[in-house]
Amino acid sequence: MEQITGYIDHIIYENNENGYKVLLLVDPDGQELVCVGTIPGVDNGMSLRLEGEFVEHPTYGRQLKVIKFEEVIPDDTAGIERYLSSGAIKGIGESLAKRIVAKFGTDTFRIMEKEPERLAEVKGISLRIAGEIGSQVYEKRELRQAFIFLQKYGISNNLAVKIFERYRDSLYGVMMENPYRIAEDISGVGFKTADEIASRMGINVDSEYRIGSGTLYALQCAGADGNVYLPLEELLDKASEILSVEKEHIYPIVENLAVDKKIIVRQGKVYLPSFYHSELSCAVMLKELNVSMDEREFEREKKRINEVIKKVLRENGLQPDDLQMDALYKCVKNGVTIISGGPGTGKTTTINTLIRYFDEEGMDIMLAAPTGRAAKRMQEATGYEARTIHRLLEVNGGMLLDERSPRFERNSENPLETDVVIIDEMSMIDIHLFKALLSAISVGTRLVMVGDVDQLPSVGPGQVLKDLIDSGAFSTVILKRIFRQDGESDIVVNAHKINEGKQIALDNKSKDFFFLERNDSRVIYKHMVQLITEKLPGYVDATPFDIQVLTPMKKGNLGVETLNGILQQYLNPNDGTKAEYEYKDRIFRTGDKVMQVKNDYQLEWQVLSRYNIPVDSGKGVFNGDTGVIKSIDNAGRILTVEFDEKRQVDYDFSSLDELELAYAVTVHKSQGSEYPAVIFPILQGPRMLLNRNLFYTAVTRAKKCVTILGDPQTVRLMIENENTNDRYTSLKDRIKEVMGTVDQT
């Protein structure tokens, strides 16, 4: 660690939101040095003591990467005058700075901080201006002192900015009494970070604050794994493992958390409040929406319905079977209807017939899906506008009180103005998004939910589609017949075989389903690159970037982290002309295929014309959105990505945790997407991941071609392994509580 002292000659670049700066420092010998890092609250002319490491920037040469800093109060009048003359304090220019220093000499800073009213003794400064100067000095000093305090406990400068902005004057009390509050109050800060800080501050391992925070963290981890609750005993076990504290010390804290309403305990199940209330709210709203046409009225209308449907079928050349007709009748009759089925079973035909029926009846229809790609496919298949659910609900970029949930313009007070809402890819929707959707649908509006219940469940908490079907409370049709001509698509045939637990042929006699036996990961890498760059693009009429590698895992030789590094070398190598930036364990390069890996409701995007004039804009980029890096500005620390629909987003380098390379993605992250060709490398892995459900989901992502690279025995084991990662959810129970078990036919 190097230590440098000097004054700021000038600030080259700064980001006011996170305090990041590039500045030119002049040391006591007059030598200039570029320094970079999060250095908030400093200005031109200020004297600093900096600690950091020297790095060699490929463009800008030798720099000091700042890790710690503190202000050094100048002990000479020249240094004081230089700082005041820099314009750092609004209202003080060069001539006024000279008069202030002439009046107070080396005591100037003390006067400005402790007795600012005395500045009025200087000609040209009124009492009002003196007060304003004092406020500025105090605020800058407060920020720097807070940073120095937080740095003592190993808190990064980026986190220090967030802590200061959240607590201001009270941060000292919060940090000394209960540093675990930052995990609850500050978005992006987890228990582990707070626990490390608390340890440095001397907080006891068995502190009630620590146990309470660790218990909440265990529930948050369960939510990240898709669970809505944990059984009490399992929560105690997980919290004990996280905290290294005996369970008997945790149970009383759980009771206290329940009294403080930080958790909800029902029948031995422990929920975070937002999870419990989301399920309960969904059940209540579904009951209100589930208004059905009277049976006699429906029979009277059936003749008219049949006439309209026949007209629609005749005009559009659609030919639904009996199950599809049953689905149509149920959608007309009921306020809430569920349609589920695998690939090729006619879900799209059913939706198209339904849309045209409602359109013929003069009804307004809105279509939506969870992701941009799924919405685009829905629009292409129906010819009607389809949006993401977030855009349908008009996400506005603002956040609710917990700073973790988005605000939507469409809600119970401002519902969607439509007669019918049709949602595709329902298996992807988590409980929180489902609650937001239902809140925006008014009673009397028909809700039709379409999806494949055998797909992997949502990335977020819950298994909404499965719970809705299992509740037996809503009109449901499961489409089973495959509407594909014999031999047309082995992808569809094999997907259904996999889902039924039947073994598939690996003899390569198919035109769209291939298996290449390879038992060495290095050999798999080689053939994967050949397939992407040489074999498949012409075969499926696509570019190499359209071909997607899917894998069950993040880690390991065939995990996304390793595969992305290898594929980047071959698909987008460093040829000396492309800008790049190394961030933690990965390199981002112009032209890279990337994916957003968390919902960010405040990220701004814009669509530019070919003359770079904005023609559309909005907020919100979501987990699973994929795009291409268009540019990297190392000086401005900005990386620009173009997502689907030509939406361009600027990422500050400090927020690149939200992006990952996407040459290879997990099967879970691929939900809702469809690719011309899918490559699925598989040798070995955790049994919990290598299951039928995941294999089925991977295969059904491909439109024209599936190629499996790996071990035939592992493929067979995946088909045999029907174990899925069961989730702890209770939407089914909440529905039964609210409306009883009603099996509608």
Side-chain angles (χ1 to χ4, degrees), residues 308-356:
V308 175
I309 288 178
K310 285 178 182 177
K311 179 176 182 291
V312 167
L313 297 179
R314 190 168 55 249
E315 292 176 352
N316 295 278
L318 302 170
Q319 295 181 333
D321 69 350
D322 291 342
L323 265 179
Q324 290 173 297
M325 288 299 295
D326 184 39
L328 295 170
Y329 289 139
K330 287 183 174 180
C331 291
V332 172
K333 179 183 176 183
N334 299 297
V336 176
T337 308
I338 301 164
I339 301 172
S340 182
T345 56
K347 295 193 298 294
T348 300
T349 299
T350 306
I351 293 174
N352 276 326
T353 308
L354 191 60
I355 290 171
R356 282 152 182 80

Side-chain angles (χ1 to χ4, degrees), residues 575-588:
D575 59 6
T577 66
K578 300 171 183 174
E580 62 179 44
Y581 178 71
E582 185 172 353
Y583 182 77
K584 295 184 177 178
D585 58 348
R586 70 195 76 139
I587 293 174
F588 290 112

Side-chain angles (χ1 to χ4, degrees), residues 276-317:
Y276 178 83
H277 291 302
S278 287
E279 284 194 332
L280 181 59
S281 296
C282 286
V284 171
M285 289 185 286
L286 284 166
K287 180 182 179 181
E288 293 172 348
L289 289 173
N290 196 33
V291 179
S292 299
M293 190 183 295
D294 179 77
E295 192 66 42
R296 284 177 294 183
E297 180 187 354
F298 178 71
E299 287 301 321
R300 286 196 299 269
E301 290 291 322
K302 205 166 185 179
K303 183 178 179 181
R304 158 72 180 159
I305 294 168
N306 282 329
E307 288 176 356
V308 175
I309 288 178
K310 285 178 182 177
K311 179 176 182 291
V312 167
L313 297 179
R314 190 168 55 249
E315 292 176 352
N316 295 278

